[in-house]
Amino acid sequence: MVKNQPSHEICAAWDSQISKPIQHGPTQVANKFGIDIKLFASPEVPLEEAAFQELDGMLELQTTVERLHKAQPGLFAEVPAIERIALTPDFHKAQGIPVGTVMATKGFVVPQAIGKDIGCGYQLVDTGLNIHDVEPYLATLGERLRHTFFLGGRDIPLSNIHRIALLEGGVSGLMNSLAMNNPGGIWNSVRGISDMIVEACGKGDERTEVPSCLSGYVKTRSGISRDNQIGSIGGGNHFVELQVVDSVFDATTAYAWGLRPGAVLVMIHSGSLNIGSVCAATSADKAKKFYQDHVPGRLPDNKLFPVPVGPNLPMTGEFMSAHYAARNFAAVNRLALALCTVETLARVTGKRTEFKPVYDSPHNYINNEICDGTRVFVHRKGASAGRGPVEAPKSEGDLYGEPVMLPGAMGVESYLMAGLGSNAALNSVSHGAGRKLRRSKAMSDSEDSANDFLARYQVIKPFDLNAVRHQASPKLLKNLIGDIKQEMPNAYKPIRPVMHALRDHGMAKPVLKVAPLMTAKG
């Protein structure tokens, strides 16, 4: 197993140099199974030993699936195998499978390989406003967004017909159901732009059926209601961020995507919440039982269980139905968050806003794709698709590669890039910088550093820290500030080296840089 970063040098790239690629090949990672594993690393991006140890344990999956195939060869439509693995520049330890792992399998899928937050991803929306329209209202905006997301300000009505439609068809399914029966609230704002929304945010929609594990979500209500799932940010590193286009490196692509300097954007990072958690847990339990029923003896140490993909296998259908439903929910959840944000902007500024989605992309999911002429199941764990220009473009923007959002840590710049379709990287890119410090370690940072950060940058939480600072008990205040420390910039790796690595390996090219204005975090 290769433990060290490549020795080649990466030149320092300032904004004026960002668009100049420096091609370097990936590092081949040795392993006892002879699996083709490529590491897209950079000396600028620190790699941890623990991530390689976790990868080593993950690879035992090859032995597990071979045992299942030997015991029950008739379960598979083809001989199962891990075909290839790509490790993106932000590769780091997680739980069972490192973040930044892209795995292509043949003949089987692995529910646990993408984590519990199925379909978690990014959405980027242009508000039609300029920084000069928004700047005078930033303080007020923070309070109004707190009310919108955390204090009962969301107005997202749905009937069970709508819930079934979004689970079964994602954004396009929901838009179709709203066209027949619009319950009002936030959905009033999609009238006249539903086709644009489907084009930008519905590309990952999958047709499926409501899985049995989600029957309660669609059967426990009657009429129009507002549940506590849809329109939720989630915890951890999930967020809604207001941004401004700061620098443009590729004017042609930026123009094709409708973006310009000074434009105010909304970036959403959220997933499938408890919906995905239920689907993930159910699928993992069923995969484990399936394995136990067909292979006697000891269970694999890494607790990863393959699900065969073959003819007339109910297990395959059950898993994919749950997977697609969670993915569809996650995309609609991001859409609801974006609509709420743009509506709040309009109310606070008094300006006429627009809702122009740039793209929506998951980074925890499984996709059936063709790589090197072979159809495989691509598992992306903390990695986004970064396909290049399409052969039959539906719009001018398709000529320039798939949009790729590369967020920095809270309060740090982010980059919008264009995918280049790197076959070696399984058409994948990093989904961010990745954590540098464990949450427990980050919380040990000084309170002064957190206060200094909050004085410079507006973080919107369910509570107003300034309001409770003199009222909360010392223990509660420590917990509240500790929550901020976990997500401060020093807890994450620098974003620019990751962007450099994507560029230098020919995975994506930088289009523009955005600067954060404020971030709402659950």
Side-chain angles (χ1 to χ4, degrees), residues 13-215:
W14 303 97
D15 284 355
S16 62
Q17 300 170 307
I18 276 175
S19 60
K20 300 176 182 178
I22 312 161
Q23 296 291 340
H24 295 289
T27 298
Q28 197 72 29
V29 179
N31 62 93
K32 66 181 181 182
F33 297 101
I35 298 170
D36 180 7
I37 304 177
K38 291 183 173 66
L39 170 66
F40 296 83
S42 157
E44 294 177 294
V45 183
L47 298 176
E48 54 186 0
E49 180 84 11
F52 288 99
Q53 293 172 350
E54 190 169 53
L55 174 67
D56 212 14
M58 183 201 85
L59 293 179
E60 293 297 330
L61 178 63
Q62 180 64 38
T63 299
T64 302
V65 77
E66 287 173 357
R67 290 181 64 198
L68 180 58
H69 181 251
K70 183 178 180 180
Q72 300 288 338
L75 294 175
F76 297 86
E78 56 186 334
V79 178
I82 299 175
E83 290 284 284
R84 292 167 54 194
I85 292 176
L87 309 176
T88 64
D90 68 334
F91 175 69
H92 62 280
K93 186 182 183 307
Q95 293 181 343
I97 291 183
V99 172
T101 298
V102 185
M103 177 175 66
T105 62
K106 183 175 66 174
F108 72 101
V109 293
V110 187
Q112 302 100 311
I114 55 169
K116 296 180 180 179
D117 196 1
I118 303 169
C120 181
Y122 299 122
Q123 185 172 123
L124 187 68
V125 173
D126 183 0
T127 68
L129 297 178
N130 188 278
I131 182 59
H132 302 301
D133 298 322
V134 174
E135 219 163 20
Y137 304 95
L138 290 179
T140 305
L141 263 173
E143 289 304 313
R144 291 297 293 273
L145 287 173
R146 176 179 290 114
H147 176 260
T148 297
F149 294 127
F150 307 123
L151 301 176
R154 294 176 296 170
D155 186 10
I156 312 176
L158 292 171
S159 70
N160 286 340
I161 293 175
H162 299 117
R163 292 185 179 91
I164 291 171
L166 69 88
L167 290 175
E168 292 185 339
V171 172
S172 56
L174 176 63
M175 291 299 109
N176 289 335
S177 69
L178 291 175
M180 294 183 287
N181 179 16
N182 190 315
I186 195 66
W187 307 118
N188 284 332
S189 58
V190 307
R191 290 192 172 107
I193 61 170
S194 60
D195 289 345
M196 181 195 307
I197 290 173
V198 169
E199 172 63 24
C201 304
K203 291 182 178 179
D205 292 344
E206 293 283 353
R207 295 299 305 172
T208 190
E209 297 179 353
V210 176
S212 58
C213 62
L214 296 182
S215 60

Side-chain angles (χ1 to χ4, degrees), residues 8 34 41 78 110 130 142 154 164 175 194 239 287 298 307 325 338 340 388 391 420 445 468 510:
H8 60 256
E78 56 186 334
V110 187
N130 188 278
R154 294 176 296 170
I164 291 171
M175 291 299 109
S194 60
F239 57 80
R298 181 180 173 182
V307 173
C340 287
E391 294 181 0
L420 295 175
D445 202 355
V468 303

